[in-house]
Amino acid sequence: LYTVLDKGEVVFNRELLEILYPSPYLAELRKVLKNDNLDPLIVLSLIRQESVFNPLARSPVGARGLMQIMPTTARRLKRSVREKHLANPSVNIELGTKYIKNLLKRYDGNLVYVLGAYNAGESRVERWKNLYFDTDETILKNIESIPFLETRNYVKLIFRNIFFYKILLDPEK
């Protein structure tokens, strides 16, 4: 894609953005989150990055489904859930959004911390907060301070996704 964009063979426009940033599950996300302060576009952006909307996605470390939830995290959120349930989009969205809401509460709404914890784990973010992050600094400086390249890139990609989804789907824009 970048090659054809660089060559000018494809025009970067709204139609291309709609192809690159589809919005399956958005109606379900809006329904699940209608009484919450969590923006469905944040969750949509996370799903795009985690699984590219594949409900059967499995990571090498064992995360499952749309939101790539670890089975142990899922059981912590809902005792009756089993690994096979994580392939069900509704169950995965229910548990994934619950987890994000818990992280938002834990980190006082700091999305850099939330996304870092979602990707690398809460214990790592706690360590990073003390060693690398400056709560008085900008989001960008805190993102650049994330010591794991994978997590740093992950957080940047989610923010990129949010940016493009807001352009495409936010009625205020």
Side-chain angles (χ1 to χ4, degrees):
L1 177 63
Y2 293 112
T3 304
V4 295
L5 280 171
D6 286 342
K7 289 180 181 178
E9 296 172 4
V10 159
V11 177
F12 193 76
N13 58 22
R14 184 175 190 87
E15 186 178 15
L16 180 59
L17 270 182
E18 288 171 351
I19 292 167
L20 295 173
Y21 293 88
S23 53
Y25 306 105
L26 182 58
E28 184 169 353
L29 287 170
R30 285 184 171 146
K31 185 177 170 185
V32 167
L33 298 171
K34 71 179 176 182
N35 296 321
D36 292 313
N37 290 331
L38 178 55
D39 184 347
L41 298 184
I42 292 172
V43 181
L44 188 68
S45 298
L46 185 138
I47 292 172
R48 182 188 185 275
Q49 204 57 44
E50 288 287 351
S51 68
V52 195
F53 306 105
N54 178 1
L56 303 177
R58 293 180 103 174
S59 79
V61 296
R64 304 277 197 273
L66 290 175
M67 297 184 73
Q68 289 294 278
I69 301 169
M70 292 297 288
T72 53
T73 302
R75 279 189 295 280
R76 192 174 73 208
L77 296 166
K78 186 176 182 180
R79 286 190 160 198
S80 63
V81 77
R82 298 291 170 253
E83 259 183 58
K84 66 181 180 181
H85 299 142
L86 295 177
N88 178 318
S90 295
V91 171
N92 200 279
I93 287 171
E94 172 196 345
L95 296 174
T97 56
K98 184 176 182 178
Y99 184 47
I100 292 172
K101 287 186 270 186
N102 289 347
L103 291 173
L104 282 165
K105 185 181 287 185
R106 178 176 183 164
Y107 297 113
D108 297 321
N110 184 315
L111 196 53
V112 173
Y113 295 174
V114 168
L115 295 173
Y118 199 93
N119 180 260
E122 296 168 57
S123 62
R124 286 196 176 109
V125 170
E126 290 303 321
R127 227 173 309 134
W128 298 345
K129 279 172 55 179
N130 296 327
L131 294 172
Y132 304 106
F133 295 155
D134 183 342
T135 55
D136 294 331
E137 287 297 330
T138 64
I139 288 175
L140 183 59
K141 182 166 189 247
N142 279 338
I143 292 172
E144 291 302 325
S145 297
I146 296 171
F148 287 8
L149 178 62
E150 177 192 334
T151 302
R152 186 169 54 245
N153 288 339
Y154 173 84
V155 172
K156 288 179 187 178
L157 290 169
I158 301 284
F159 274 97
R160 177 210 58 194
N161 294 350
I162 292 167
F163 174 81
F164 284 119
Y165 276 123
K166 285 200 178 284
I167 288 172
L168 287 170
L169 302 169
D170 195 335
E172 302 291 317
K173 302 285 176 204

